Amino acid sequence: MMNQKQEIQISKLKRSTQESRIESVDGLRGFALLGIIIANIPYQTNSPVTGELDSLMTFLFHFLIDKKFITIFSILFGFGFYIQMQRAAEKNVAFGKYFAFRMLLLFGIGSLHAFLIWNGDIIRTYAAGGLFLLLLRNTSVKKLFVLAVVLNVVFTGAIYIGLTSFGWSTHNFDFELAKELPLTTSFLRYLKLNFLFDPWTNFYRDMPLTVAFTFGNMLIGFILAKIDFFKCPEKFKNTSTWFITLGMTFGLASSYLYYQVVAGKLELELFWLPFVLVAGMILQSLFYISAFLQIYQNRSIRKVLQLFNPVGRTALSNYILQSSLYVFVFYNCFNLFNLFGKLTNFQSWMLAIAFYAFQTFITHLYLQRFHQGPIEFIWKKYSYRMAKQNKQTLSR
């Protein structure tokens, strides 16, 4: 049986996850989810429905949104890992086994999300990355920084070249079937297609780039957390200024080049270009992070930015809710609104923002009664239960 001291340690760790939250990080996480809901809008290529603002919205999407906010979300996952590690150390709880259980459960949540709801799931990649972070948690900041650069820029750029220039992304299935995913009226067919096109089902062709880039971003978040960049942003004004300056120059310039590539005006045969695009994408994301944290220090503006906090506090639940809203409203498998291919780009953006406003409203009401999101509650509850059961097994 687990002794009373072990019970107290686990319960203290459980309570600590509900205390000492960094409000600015909650707001930043909520801000990232606003970008993600726009980034995940289900578009139809060559849609018969067009609008005067389509070209502008496409430019803004690639210039300001695409890949930047999921990068912020990944960085914040690395920050969250560090915070949990610190809390476990303070409560004298064996962090490794507990966190491993936590990541295994997160992978299961991500699998359900991917196969039942949304083909573009990122949760499982975070779970896998979290297990790698466990192995590196005692590594020095300097070594972590080198590894982050290698993964984020060198590996990601090299893999991107291989996928685009050397045919590594060739699939065994007819990719034309992917067009059927949002249009099928059969939910069983939708589930089958979800599995067929799932990136983890096609791991060797789809996941190396995502894993390298995502884990590199998680390392950045872990590094920034280690140096207290998020806790004490006022102490890092010079660093923030550099991030903002580089993001507004090199980062935005790289995003413009990225838009030129997507628009077919620039060829990726230029060997240096993928490395520049990836580096610029990260710098632009760090610009967003630094600017948000610095602006959050202003009391007047903070009142506005705090509107992002509720969604940020329940990020996992709201991330999955965003996917669910898109499937229910855009896709045809539930035969509800079936809006896929029926809206202009501008209308889709407005709907995405409306969805986010709806999330903000219901989350605000929800948090008046509960301390954490429903999926977070289930995830943490069974993580602690598994940790307790493991301790009981070891003590027998």
Side-chain angles (χ1 to χ4, degrees), residues 38-45 57 61 340-341 343-345 348-349:
I38 295 174
N40 286 340
I41 292 172
Y43 289 111
Q44 180 174 351
T45 306
M57 305 312 290
F61 174 74
F340 184 78
L343 300 179
T344 66
N345 286 1
S348 297
W349 278 55

Side-chain angles (χ1 to χ4, degrees), residues 10-278:
I10 292 293
S11 63
K12 283 183 177 179
L13 178 60
K14 186 175 182 179
R15 288 197 303 272
S16 71
T17 62
Q18 300 172 2
E19 301 170 352
S20 304
R21 299 190 66 92
I22 302 176
E23 282 195 3
S24 59
V25 175
D26 283 337
L28 181 58
R29 196 177 281 114
F31 176 61
L33 279 169
L34 173 60
I36 288 172
I37 198 171
I38 295 174
N40 286 340
I41 292 172
Y43 289 111
Q44 180 174 351
T45 306
N46 299 321
S47 173
V49 181
T50 58
E52 295 180 359
L53 297 176
D54 279 7
S55 297
L56 174 61
M57 305 312 290
T58 299
F59 170 74
L60 292 176
F61 174 74
H62 294 298
F63 189 61
L64 299 176
I65 303 291
D66 195 15
K67 307 296 188 298
K68 286 79 174 178
F69 286 89
I70 197 65
T71 297
I72 296 174
F73 209 53
S74 303
I75 289 172
L76 292 177
F77 188 92
F79 160 81
F81 171 84
Y82 177 80
I83 293 299
Q84 291 179 58
M85 185 178 72
Q86 289 297 99
R87 287 171 178 164
E90 292 169 2
K91 305 301 178 183
N92 196 28
V93 174
F95 176 71
K97 291 179 180 178
Y98 157 72
F99 192 78
F101 287 135
R102 188 173 171 83
M103 291 301 98
L104 290 174
L105 283 175
L106 184 63
F107 193 90
I109 292 170
S111 298
L112 291 174
H113 176 238
F115 295 132
L116 298 180
I117 303 174
W118 190 253
N119 187 254
D121 171 76
I122 193 66
I123 296 172
R124 289 169 297 174
T125 308
Y126 290 161
L131 293 175
F132 283 116
L133 277 177
L134 271 178
L135 302 176
L136 299 172
R137 64 186 184 275
N138 297 320
T139 306
S140 68
V141 168
K142 184 176 180 180
K143 290 180 180 178
L144 289 172
F145 175 77
V146 172
L147 181 58
V149 171
V150 170
L151 285 172
N152 261 335
V153 180
V154 180
F155 276 21
T156 301
I159 294 170
Y160 193 82
I161 291 173
L163 292 172
T164 56
S165 301
F166 297 103
W168 294 356
S169 60
T170 303
H171 291 78
N172 295 327
F173 53 78
D174 182 2
F175 208 74
E176 287 294 311
L177 285 174
K179 297 178 180 178
E180 186 183 343
L181 190 65
L183 299 176
T184 180
T185 57
S186 167
F187 185 66
L188 290 178
R189 178 64 174 169
Y190 178 77
L191 296 180
K192 181 177 180 180
L193 292 172
N194 253 356
F195 180 81
L196 179 64
F197 301 125
D198 180 67
W200 282 79
T201 303
N202 305 279
F203 186 89
Y204 294 112
R205 295 176 178 86
D206 288 342
M207 287 306 297
L209 178 67
T210 302
V211 169
F213 186 64
T214 302
F215 186 56
N217 291 326
M218 291 166 64
L219 286 175
I220 292 174
F222 187 46
I223 292 168
L224 293 176
K226 272 196 164 189
I227 66 174
D228 284 338
F229 181 84
F230 293 101
K231 280 188 175 181
C232 307
E234 67 279 359
K235 295 182 180 180
F236 292 91
K237 285 187 177 180
N238 290 337
T239 304
S240 294
T241 299
W242 272 107
F243 285 156
I244 292 170
T245 302
L246 290 172
M248 292 182 68
T249 54
F250 185 83
L252 290 176
S254 299
S255 288
Y256 181 75
L257 291 176
Y258 178 62
Y259 168 72
Q260 295 294 313
V261 171
V262 173
K265 300 176 182 179
L266 187 64
E267 296 295 332
L268 271 174
E269 275 71 17
L270 298 170
F271 177 78
W272 52 268
L273 187 54
F275 302 99
V276 169
L277 295 181
V278 173

